[in-house]
Amino acid sequence: MSGVIAAVTVRAADRAKALGAEQALETLRQELEQVPRLGVLLSGPQDGVEVRKTRIEPHDGAPGLAVAYVYTPAPPPPTVAIVAVTPDDGVAAD
């Protein structure tokens, strides 16, 4: 166990539910407790805080998702807050 606490904001949970991706988001939440720096760094670190983005692949009728989260390593315990969930078509931006 890594000691990282990961949580999903109410807004992100509601969005995942609307997209039929509640279980996929919960799986990602659990994975972030083990590996809190998945995906790409969007901004930071500023005062140790990082804003990161990762992707959930489409499956079982749920769309692919882009998931943004904030990682805060200090003060202990380190935390992850999943703050945004949006459909992701998998097309790279120019």
Side-chain angles (χ1 to χ4, degrees), residues 24-44:
L25 190 62
E26 174 57 19
T27 300
L28 175 62
R29 187 200 64 75
Q30 292 173 8
E31 188 174 357
L32 287 170
E33 286 184 335
Q34 301 305 312
V35 185
R37 287 185 167 124
L38 291 176
V40 296
L41 182 64
L42 296 177
S43 71

Side-chain angles (χ1 to χ4, degrees), residues 89-94:
D89 61 11
V91 177
D94 290 333

Side-chain angles (χ1 to χ4, degrees), residues 11-91:
R11 180 169 279 187
D14 287 348
R15 184 71 167 144
K17 183 176 183 178
L19 294 168
E22 294 168 286
Q23 185 55 50
L25 190 62
E26 174 57 19
T27 300
L28 175 62
R29 187 200 64 75
Q30 292 173 8
E31 188 174 357
L32 287 170
E33 286 184 335
Q34 301 305 312
V35 185
R37 287 185 167 124
L38 291 176
V40 296
L41 182 64
L42 296 177
S43 71
Q46 183 174 354
D47 296 327
V49 176
E50 300 175 5
V51 178
R52 303 183 74 85
K53 181 179 114 174
T54 192
R55 185 169 193 281
I56 297 174
E57 295 296 324
H59 64 87
D60 299 331
L65 302 173
V67 179
Y69 66 94
V70 178
Y71 172 62
T72 308
T79 59
V80 169
I82 297 173
V83 296
V85 176
T86 57
D88 181 16
D89 61 11
V91 177

